[in-house]
Amino acid sequence: MTIKQGDALPEATFMTMTPDGPSPVSTDDVFAGRTVALFAVPGAFTPTCSAQHLPGFVKQAAELKAKGVDRIACTSVNDVFVMDAWGRDQGAGDQVMMLADGNGDFARAVGLDMDGSKFGMGLRSQRYAMLVKDGKVEKLWVEEPGDFQVSSAEHVLAEL
């Protein structure tokens, strides 16, 4: 079942890179008491994700925060080392929190996983964005396969 507006996020654990190495963070660690713009991509270093999706949120970070977003987070079914390298490559810095969903547990739990096997990618996340307030989904924008419109930073910013 796909998560919808008004639903609470399921409990899940992501991995993030810290100065001391990989570290687990729970959904509560990321979302409790905050307004978070979360976006998901099918894969780090993939064309649309690297050319438009993550760069858009990095570029629009100040504007999103000016409209009440406390944190911007990106998740993908990639390991923590790949997400860290991609974030550094894209200049995410402190603007976008990189959340590795290495086993796809979060993607499955929110019902937004997809089978990328025909592209040699296995289980992945669909492309989407959501606005989460204190752990509850306030707004959700899920892309049609192959599209990149409603989950863009520009679209999310326009909807705030």
Side-chain angles (χ1 to χ4, degrees), residues 1-158:
M1 175 149 98
T2 303
I3 199 162
K4 60 187 181 311
Q5 290 179 187
D7 288 350
L9 290 178
E11 290 184 27
T13 301
F14 300 100
M15 294 296 290
T16 59
M17 189 59 73
T18 70
D20 298 322
S23 179
V25 293
S26 70
T27 46
D28 279 349
D29 295 332
V30 177
F31 300 99
R34 294 181 180 89
T35 297
V36 180
L38 173 70
F39 66 102
V41 299
F45 291 107
T46 57
T48 301
C49 305
S50 290
Q52 298 175 45
H53 212 167
L54 178 54
F57 278 93
V58 171
K59 182 180 177 184
Q60 301 290 338
E63 290 86 352
L64 287 161
K65 290 179 179 179
K67 289 219 175 182
V69 171
D70 300 311
R71 173 177 282 164
I72 302 165
C74 173
T75 186
S76 184
V77 180
N78 287 113
D79 66 66
V80 67
F81 299 100
V82 169
M83 290 297 283
D84 179 58
W86 188 44
R88 283 186 282 113
D89 179 74
Q90 294 288 314
D94 293 333
Q95 298 301 316
V96 178
M97 183 179 203
M98 305 301 284
L99 301 174
D101 184 21
N103 296 322
D105 295 337
F106 182 77
R108 273 192 304 277
V110 295
L112 291 168
D113 55 320
M114 68 170 205
D115 183 358
S117 296
K118 69 180 179 180
F119 304 108
M121 296 172 72
L123 170 81
R124 293 294 171 139
S125 176
Q126 292 181 48
R127 186 181 306 281
Y128 65 86
M130 63 173 72
L131 186 67
V132 181
K133 287 195 176 183
D134 195 23
K136 288 192 178 181
V137 179
E138 183 168 286
K139 295 186 180 192
L140 175 64
W141 305 278
V142 180
E143 298 286 1
E144 292 297 321
D147 280 355
F148 176 63
Q149 297 174 28
V150 299
S151 66
S152 71
E154 295 77 15
H155 180 83
V156 171
L157 188 58

